[in-house]
Amino acid sequence: MREDGAVPPYGPRPSAPASGSIRRAELDRLLESAVHDTGVFAGAVFLLASHGQALRLEVAKGLPAESLTPWSRVALSSPDPVAEALRHRRLVWLSDPEELARRYPRTTIALPYHCAAAAAPIVTGTRAWGTLLLLWPGSDTPGAAGPEPDRVAAVCRRLGRFLSAAADTGHAVRPGSAPRTLPQTPAHSRDPAEALAATELVERFPEGICSLGLKGEFTYVSATAAALLGGSVPELTGTRPWQSLPWCTDSPFEECFRGALVSHRPVYFTAMRPPDQWLAFELYPDASGVSVRMSPTGPGPAARAGPARTGTFLGERIPLGEVYQVLHLAAALSEAVGVRDVVDLITEEVLPAFGARTVALLAAEDGRMRVIGRRGYNPGLLEHFDGVPLTCPAPPVRVLATGRPWFFATFEELSRAYPPAVRQEGLHAWAFLPLITSGRPVGSCVFAFDRPHPFPEQERVVFTALAGLVAQALERARLYDASKELAQALQAALLPDSLPDVPGLDAAARYLPAARGMDIGGDFYDLVRVDDTTAVAFIGDVQGHNVTAAALMGRIRPALRSHAVTGTAPVQALTQANRQLADLDPGRFASCLYVHLDLARRRAVLATAGHPPPILRHPDGHAEVLSLPPGLLLGIDPDTDYPATEIPLPPGTVLALYTDGLVETPGVDLDDAMSGLAAQLAQARFESMDRLATTLIDHARRTAPMTDDIALLLIGLAATG
């Protein structure tokens, strides 16, 4: 949907089926040209599905399509750079992994690699065709530069003209059944003698040398490499190491290969080949695949650390189990309701995922930082940050100002960056994460570790992405808490503050909302003292659970109360309320039970407008559901008549008025449910209406899920003697 609310004409025009091999070949050629002209190492074309609601990965160049699995199908409405580029018809530029993690945390958790990206819309006029994705090394790599935006726009125009022309001739290019990967064109061919000399050169190296294609398959394995890996050259050639070598399934080989391929940066790691042979691996990627050098080493960091400025050491990658915990937390955060839920999830779930000892969550409120949750921290240690202004240079505040996380592997690093830092016993490393959503600071999250922690690059990216998820969850939770508070205040304002004292009566009321957020109910009740021997009680329920229902209830209850104050009989009160509601024509109806209590004669007159019948407990203890002549709901027919029923009220009688939320249970007959409430009323032991109300509500909570609001009004006549 456009920002102005209009729905754009996404997707190709209908076309007749035709063989698409020639057109797909032209699309492939244009993608190859796009990668070459922009100077990136990889690119991909996403085409809009025929229904116009999702993008499908059609073809990739420079990377296997399976490396982009999280983007194989992208809903057009999703918070994803590929979708956003087409949805808003603009270039999405992500110059480094941290920016990707901040803006698109869900995407980064699925692709936690060091690379930069650009997503550009492929459009012609008002017609949208898809998105071009380009990848290049992260901007902190020396000599690396992103493509020129003008070149990106030019290649998108060429793609758009091609797709438009194909559709106009009735041969639209549609997404295929599965993404395709373009083969890599060799840089140049070598004659047999040159190839033999190169092979002999490699075989003379004391280290093992092998080459992996874009899909991870061995394309060349030296004899030394085969021996170190525990296989033979014929057995390994054409296979993937993590599939053909059993011990590689538990090593970081596959993850490091993908990291090198997607980031286009060298990667180093160590792994053990059983029973006790440690190997150091160095992975060097280019456009055709990954070259691997390996040599025997001891446990721990690789013997060859490689170029420190361009390489990535992954000897201690995040274990898969911890990744699952992070994904579990992401799913849990999507279901968190209030701020307390978010705080509990962060403090209880993240610590085991990253091995942190303590965690604190701070929120930005009224220009200051407030500690809203912690675990493991000494409360006194956080007092320094609680209430500090957002201009303070303290790390939890500074990360909000810069929008970038701050990692300190040791206390010495922290004290150099922030001299006022105080050494905290048992804490040796820190991660300060900004919580920013929609460009607005929400707060910060602080993790501390009980030993020096190097924060490998992949872990930093996941931390940053996690902070984005936490920020979104915290913002939703704060909005929910605010709306809930407003709803509860509105609900309370529409209900009586207290019940009046009426001689000879003991009354109690309860109201329990079942809805969440701004969904508030239309249940209402009241007890009105007319004089020393007369009172009126009524209870009702407006259809719906929202502000409209509550507003309508706010008009019905005062109208009924005005009738009650003058002692209007039930029939006349309901008749007039019905006509008033029908004249409003709100498109909603309301039920109501109206009771006129004559304490001098010990009688009651009742009338109902489609409301559940009251329950009467007799002085001897038995209880029954009263059978009242039915009346139509208020607001349906302005000329409806409401018959009245008169009952005796001897001393010791209890009259229970309630809304359907107290008795309605999925799968249970309503008559049976009301009979069950009568039995509970008969069996209950009580000394006051207040105690009895608590007993009935507690029983309802224990026996059935609460799916609707509950209103309960109990009226007891004092026993004689």
Side-chain angles (χ1 to χ4, degrees), residues 379-388 392 394 418 420:
L381 295 176
L382 295 174
E383 290 180 356
H384 177 68
F385 299 130
D386 196 17
V388 300
C392 173
Y418 181 62

Side-chain angles (χ1 to χ4, degrees), residues 115-131:
C115 64
I122 304 173
V123 297
T124 54
T126 61
R127 298 163 71 182
W129 306 103
T131 301

Side-chain angles (χ1 to χ4, degrees), residues 368-622:
R368 295 183 177 274
M369 297 295 286
R370 300 292 181 187
V371 178
I372 61 173
R374 58 181 173 77
R375 183 175 180 183
Y377 265 108
N378 182 329
L381 295 176
L382 295 174
E383 290 180 356
H384 177 68
F385 299 130
D386 196 17
V388 300
L390 296 184
T391 55
C392 173
V397 183
R398 179 175 171 179
V399 294
L400 274 188
T402 63
R404 293 182 175 274
W406 217 354
F407 299 96
F408 300 101
T410 63
F411 176 75
E412 288 69 28
E413 289 186 11
L414 174 62
S415 62
R416 283 196 298 270
Y418 181 62
V422 178
R423 185 181 291 275
Q424 303 170 30
E425 184 178 355
L427 301 182
H428 299 277
W430 291 263
F432 296 90
L433 309 175
L435 304 181
I436 298 174
T437 179
S438 301
R440 193 169 63 84
V442 176
S444 58
C445 193
V446 184
F447 293 96
F449 297 78
D450 58 6
R451 65 189 64 186
H453 193 84
F455 296 108
E457 183 176 287
Q458 278 187 303
E459 189 178 48
R460 294 187 181 211
V461 171
V462 174
F463 258 127
T464 305
L466 181 63
L469 295 173
V470 172
Q472 294 172 10
L474 186 59
E475 180 70 356
R476 290 194 307 268
R478 294 173 73 178
L479 290 174
Y480 167 79
D481 284 348
S483 64
K484 181 181 178 181
E485 183 179 352
L486 176 61
Q488 290 176 340
L490 175 60
Q491 191 85 63
L494 295 174
L495 294 173
D497 295 329
S498 61
L499 299 180
D501 291 328
V502 180
L505 285 186
D506 182 13
R510 295 287 188 275
Y511 176 80
L512 280 81
R516 300 169 15 158
M518 277 300 292
D519 287 343
I520 58 179
D523 290 16
F524 62 92
Y525 64 86
D526 209 341
L527 176 64
V528 179
R529 175 177 173 169
V530 180
D531 55 41
D532 289 346
T533 61
T534 309
V536 170
F538 58 83
I539 193 167
D541 186 0
V542 177
Q543 177 189 23
H545 291 86
N546 51 33
V547 175
T548 303
L552 189 57
M553 181 264 279
R555 303 188 69 170
I556 294 174
R557 177 177 161 267
L560 289 168
R561 184 177 177 83
S562 68
H563 297 313
V565 169
T566 60
T568 305
V571 170
Q572 287 74 27
L574 289 184
T575 298
Q576 294 179 39
N578 177 55
R579 288 173 181 167
Q580 289 174 324
L581 186 57
D583 289 343
L584 289 174
D585 191 23
R588 293 174 182 267
F589 313 118
S591 69
C592 184
L593 174 65
Y594 194 98
V595 183
H596 186 276
L597 301 162
D598 186 342
L599 304 179
R601 297 176 56 234
R602 298 190 184 282
R603 312 287 291 178
V605 179
L606 306 88
T608 181
H611 198 80
I615 296 175
L616 185 69
R617 172 171 164 152
H618 296 272
D620 63 2
H622 84 277

Side-chain angles (χ1 to χ4, degrees), residues 297-315:
T297 189
R304 284 185 169 84
R309 298 195 314 175
T310 60
T312 302
F313 175 66
L314 294 178

